[in-house]
Amino acid sequence: MRKFTWAMLGLAALAAVPATVTTQEAGFPVEIIKPGKGPYTFPTGYQTPWEKIQIMVTSKMSPNLFVLHGSEALDPAHPDASGGRAMALFGPDGVLMVDTENRQVADKTLAAIRSFTTAPIKILVNTHVHSDHTGANGFFAKQGAVIYSQENLRNEMLRVPARANGQAAPAPDMAGIPVATYSYNKATEGQPAVTFNMNGETVDFIPMMPSHTAGDTIVRFRKANVIYIEDFYRNFGYPFADQSNGGSIKGMLEAIDLIQKLANPTTTLIPGHGTLVKKQDLLAYRSMLVDVMAKVTTMRNQGKSLKDVLAANLTAPYDKTTLGDTQQSKDRFITEVYDEVKDFPPVVDGKRTMPRHD
Ligand SMILES: [Zn+2]
C-alpha cells in the first residue's frame, strides 16, 4: 500500500480542475453601454439610417479583449443595439476578431477597433452566416484577416438564397467567404476545432450542433473566462432558429446543455444580442423552449393547423419577462416549432428545404 501524502492529494485536485476554469482579471469585465430595453416602434416604410448608426466599445472583458456593438433605436432588425456583437482581441500578435457587424458600417467598425489598437487585423472567426455578423467580412479580409468558420457556413454563404420576389440570387462576395473551415462532430462535441494562442490569451473556436444555424461556432477566451455564445440564446425577442440555414430548436436545447458543461458559474456569456449573461440565466429560456415544444407537439398531433396553433398564443406566459416580444417575433418562433415537431427536413450542405406558409 502506498503511503498517503498531501502532494498526492494536490495532484489529484489539480487534475480534477477542468481546463475552462479560470478567474477574470481584477476589475473585469466592465460594461460601458448596455443595450436598450424598448419598446421600439418604427413607421411603415422606415429604412435603417446607416449613416446615424455608431459602432462603439460597449464592454471590456479584459485589458485587451473588447466587445463592439451598435446604436440603440435605429435598426428595426435589432432596435436594442444595431448589428450583432463583435469582439476584438488585440496586442503585439495582431487582432483576432469575432464577427464583423453589418457591411454598411464596416468603416465605423474598423474605426472603433483603431480607437484602441494599431495592430494588424489577422484572424476573423464567424459565429454564423447572418449579415449582422458577416456583412463586413470582405472589408476585413481586405484588411488582412484570414476568415475561419464551419464548412456549413461557407456553403450557406456560397449558395445565396433566391430573393422573395423570384429574382435570381445575387452573386456571393467571394472576398468575404471563409477560407479556413472545420465541421461539427457529435463525437468530439465541445472540443475546439481551432485554438489560437495570441496576445497572452488562449482562444478556442468550438463548432456547434445545428442550432441557430447549421454553421454555428462559439468562441471561448480561456484566460478572460468569456464565451461568445452567438444567437442560439437571446433575451430580446423570442428564440430564432434559422431553419432554412439548418437551424433547429432542439439543437438550441443541446447548445444550452453544452454551455452548462463548458462554462463555470462566473463565466461571462456574450450573446450576439441582448444583455450579457451567466450560464444560470439560460435555464429559464431552456424551460420555455421545452414547454412550448411540448404544447405545439400536442396540438399538431391533434391535427391543428399552424393558424390554430398561432391563435392559441402559447407564448402568453412569457410575454411579461421577454423584452422585444413583438407579434412578429412570437409568430416566427411558434411557426419554427410547428415546422420542427413533424416532418422536419434534414440539413443538406448547411440548408434545410422548409415548407412555405403563404
Ligand atoms: Zn445575430
Side-chain angles (χ1 to χ4, degrees):
M1 206 175 102
R2 286 197 300 166
K3 201 180 159 202
F4 172 80
T5 66
W6 285 107
M8 285 165 63
L9 184 65
L11 282 176
L14 268 182
V17 175
T20 53
V21 174
T22 54
T23 43
Q24 288 89 345
E25 188 112 9
F28 290 92
V30 187
E31 208 168 355
I32 303 162
I33 305 167
K34 289 190 179 186
K37 292 184 173 171
Y40 303 96
T41 50
F42 297 92
T44 322
Y46 177 89
Q47 299 284 322
T48 304
W50 294 107
E51 72 285 356
K52 286 189 189 159
I53 288 173
Q54 298 304 310
I55 299 295
M56 304 158 285
V57 175
T58 54
S59 49
K60 299 181 177 183
M61 294 295 129
S62 80
N64 65 338
L65 178 61
F66 291 3
V67 179
L68 309 172
H69 212 172
S71 313
E72 178 187 2
L74 292 170
D75 176 355
H78 295 293
D80 57 324
S82 180
R85 277 196 181 87
M87 296 183 74
L89 170 73
F90 58 96
D93 302 326
V95 176
L96 179 150
M97 287 179 72
V98 181
D99 290 343
T100 57
E101 299 285 358
N102 286 293
R103 174 183 56 78
Q104 294 89 339
V105 293
D107 50 347
K108 294 179 197 173
T109 304
L110 179 61
I113 293 171
R114 289 291 168 244
S115 73
F116 54 78
T117 180
T118 56
I121 312 279
K122 285 202 172 160
I123 306 294
L124 163 61
V125 59
N126 284 148
T127 65
H128 63 283
V129 72
H130 294 154
S131 57
D132 54 331
H133 295 259
T134 63
N137 266 19
F139 177 93
F140 282 100
K142 285 169 195 158
Q143 296 290 323
V146 177
I147 309 177
Y148 286 70
S149 79
Q150 274 210 50
E151 192 180 345
N152 275 342
L153 187 155
R154 182 181 153 87
N155 286 332
E156 288 157 7
M157 222 179 240
L158 284 170
R159 296 167 57 220
V160 184
R163 294 228 165 97
N165 60 13
Q167 278 181 3
D173 172 13
M174 291 310 293
I177 307 265
V179 292
T181 57
Y182 47 83
S183 299
Y184 165 76
N185 178 351
K186 178 84 189 155
T188 55
E189 189 168 272
Q191 290 177 27
V194 178
T195 298
F196 274 99
N197 293 282
M198 283 174 75
N199 303 318
E201 183 53 275
T202 303
V203 190
D204 296 317
F205 303 168
I206 303 175
M208 296 298 274
M209 63 295 288
S211 42
H212 181 53
T213 70
D216 289 25
T217 293
I218 60 170
V219 184
R220 177 173 62 191
F221 297 87
R222 291 192 211 174
K223 191 174 164 213
N225 194 17
V226 163
I227 308 176
Y228 185 100
I229 61 166
E230 39 96 16
D231 291 9
F232 61 79
Y233 166 83
R234 64 188 298 158
N235 56 32
F236 192 91
Y238 277 98
F240 176 34
D242 179 357
Q243 294 163 324
S244 297
N245 277 314
S248 153
I249 303 271
K250 271 189 199 142
M252 286 160 62
L253 288 173
E254 292 170 27
I256 292 162
D257 293 343
L258 182 58
I259 295 295
Q260 300 305 312
K261 292 183 203 160
L262 294 177
N264 66 45
T266 61
T267 305
T268 302
L269 304 177
I270 304 183
H273 311 274
T275 59
L276 307 184
V277 290
K278 307 286 187 203
K279 70 175 183 177
Q280 182 71 22
D281 299 319
L282 271 47
L283 299 179
Y285 179 86
R286 188 189 193 288
S287 303
M288 174 180 70
L289 291 174
V290 170
D291 173 47
V292 171
M293 278 190 101
K295 286 176 178 155
V296 173
T297 303
T298 303
M299 290 187 78
R300 207 167 165 181
N301 288 342
Q302 290 165 349
K304 296 283 200 308
S305 70
L306 174 61
K307 210 175 150 210
D308 297 333
V309 177
L310 288 172
N313 198 16
L314 297 174
T315 54
Y318 306 103
D319 288 351
K320 258 196 190 144
T321 48
T322 305
L323 286 176
D325 66 320
T326 61
Q327 194 61 45
Q328 187 203 18
S329 163
K330 289 175 209 185
D331 289 354
R332 180 175 69 179
F333 171 46
I334 297 297
T335 304
E336 287 159 17
V337 178
Y338 185 86
D339 285 340
E340 180 152 340
V341 296
K342 197 176 167 205
D343 304 327
F344 191 37
V347 176
V348 179
D349 289 338
K351 303 262 183 188
R352 295 182 205 272
T353 308
M354 295 305 295
R356 292 180 60 132
H357 302 287
D358 294 322

